[in-house]
Amino acid sequence: MEKKKYLCFASGPWMLLAPNAHTVKVRLLITEALETRDPLNITTILSTNVLHYELGPNRGRMTSEFFGRNLFTNEGKDWKTSRSFVRPHFYLTQIFDVDLFEKHLHQLFLQLDVDSAGWTRKPDLAGTLFNLTFDVGSEFLFRSSVHSQNPAMRRTLSAVKGREMPDMDAVTPAYNGATDHLTRASFLGKWYWLIPKKTRDTKVVMTLCQWFADEAIARRLVQGDLSDKDPQYYFLDELAKVCQDRDVLTQEVAGLLFAAANTTSALLGWMLFYLARRPSVYEKLRTEVGETIGLDSTAPMDDVSKLRKCDYLQNCINEGLRLGCPAPIQQSWIPTERCFASLPMYCKSI
């Protein structure tokens, strides 16, 4: 007989108060909310009845202060417009640039402190992995990496009249400060404004995105069809082919930069965490990679299709996404009178 799932009316750490509950009602000051981990409810909110749910007025205002209006903050028709604008430029053949990852991964290895016996000392993996994904993501988007791992490799930006120069040394800490503010503010709901704004941090990040948006527009106007000039794929250049609106490009890439850096570094961190605790899984994974691709770190990846043949690798990534979800909380808003009726597994209170 299928085990029933109940709606538990509780507050505080509900997982401890009702470990068998999958959907609960919680209260933050005078605001009530439903929290669920039920697969059917999650499918309903994110897929089946996704059009019935919204980001909500509070989350929309809060996130737009950092990202602006883009794919991750728009709703309704605006969201469809952003999606149709961004989605066509995510071609697997273009984003599967192994050389781009390899270049920045090599810089990560150089940052590791190796002792006389050849072992690496304990690194701060959270910061190290974030710097890696931030460098990769910024180069993919802007055609010029932030190079937070090795500032000496940074491209020297030329001053342009009418453009504010980005502070490259301040970008990474500013980005961390702004996203930290966003994370803490999101837990307060309508009282997000109680958390002091990171105005300077946000300005540093948006100035970076704006500078490269201006550069992409200028390059597009001067060179015409960029695909004929440069065989290398850069996301912002592709967007500039169909839109030369400075604000639109700036805000869209700001949201994409957040998605590219934070979620990828979180997944890598969780993968290393679990593999370190499962030696048998690590050995099986290493064997598959060795047989399919090879273990010679100096050999170039001449055929990226080999990665797709690593079924166990894909299974490990899927399991890492399940156990250590990079975006573990998804907030959606729906009018109170339709809230309970919209969820398939709300049952009764206990």
Side-chain angles (χ1 to χ4, degrees), residues 48-244:
T48 310
N49 292 331
V50 65
L51 296 180
H52 293 171
Y53 293 85
E54 304 172 4
L55 294 176
N58 300 316
R59 182 183 171 192
R61 286 193 295 266
M62 175 184 64
T63 53
S64 63
E65 290 179 1
F66 174 49
F67 295 129
R69 308 305 302 178
N70 56 50
L71 179 64
F72 299 98
T73 59
N74 285 333
E75 296 185 282
K77 293 182 179 179
D78 291 336
W79 176 81
K80 290 182 179 180
T81 301
S82 287
R83 184 172 182 266
S84 63
F85 174 49
V86 172
R87 187 179 183 185
H89 304 288
F90 277 103
Y91 301 113
L92 184 61
T93 53
Q94 279 93 352
I95 65 175
F96 218 142
D97 188 347
V98 179
D99 292 336
L100 175 63
F101 284 89
E102 182 72 23
K103 176 175 63 176
H104 293 289
L105 185 62
H106 179 68
Q107 291 301 316
L108 181 146
F109 292 150
L110 294 178
Q111 305 304 313
L112 299 178
D113 187 13
V114 182
D115 61 23
S116 58
W119 292 93
T120 56
R121 296 185 174 88
K122 292 182 180 179
D124 173 17
L125 279 182
T128 301
L129 293 176
F130 172 79
N131 289 340
L132 167 66
T133 56
F134 197 57
D135 288 352
V136 173
S138 58
E139 182 164 354
F140 171 73
L141 291 173
F142 304 139
R143 127 182 335 235
S144 183
S145 176
V146 173
H147 283 300
S148 54
Q149 298 184 104
N150 186 358
M153 296 181 65
R154 284 178 187 154
R155 164 192 160 199
T156 301
L157 302 181
S158 302
V160 179
K161 185 178 180 180
R163 283 196 225 164
E164 184 178 356
M165 291 290 292
D167 185 349
M168 301 298 281
D169 290 328
V171 167
T172 303
Y175 181 92
N176 285 324
T179 52
D180 179 63
H181 160 76
L182 191 64
T183 301
R184 289 185 288 115
S186 65
F187 286 100
L188 293 184
K190 66 172 66 175
W191 291 279
Y192 72 91
W193 49 268
L194 291 174
I195 302 293
K197 293 182 180 179
K198 298 283 188 177
T199 306
R200 182 187 176 278
D201 290 342
T202 302
K203 185 176 185 299
V204 169
V205 177
M206 295 306 289
T207 298
L208 173 80
C209 296
Q210 192 172 78
W211 197 94
F212 283 109
D214 286 340
E215 184 184 55
I217 294 172
R219 190 162 47 242
R220 168 65 182 173
L221 295 176
V222 171
Q223 298 181 0
D225 191 352
L226 302 179
S227 62
D228 294 337
K229 304 294 182 180
D230 192 341
Q232 184 65 42
Y233 180 89
Y234 297 105
F235 193 83
L236 192 50
D237 284 347
E238 294 298 313
L239 293 184
K241 289 181 181 180
V242 294
C243 175
Q244 286 84 49

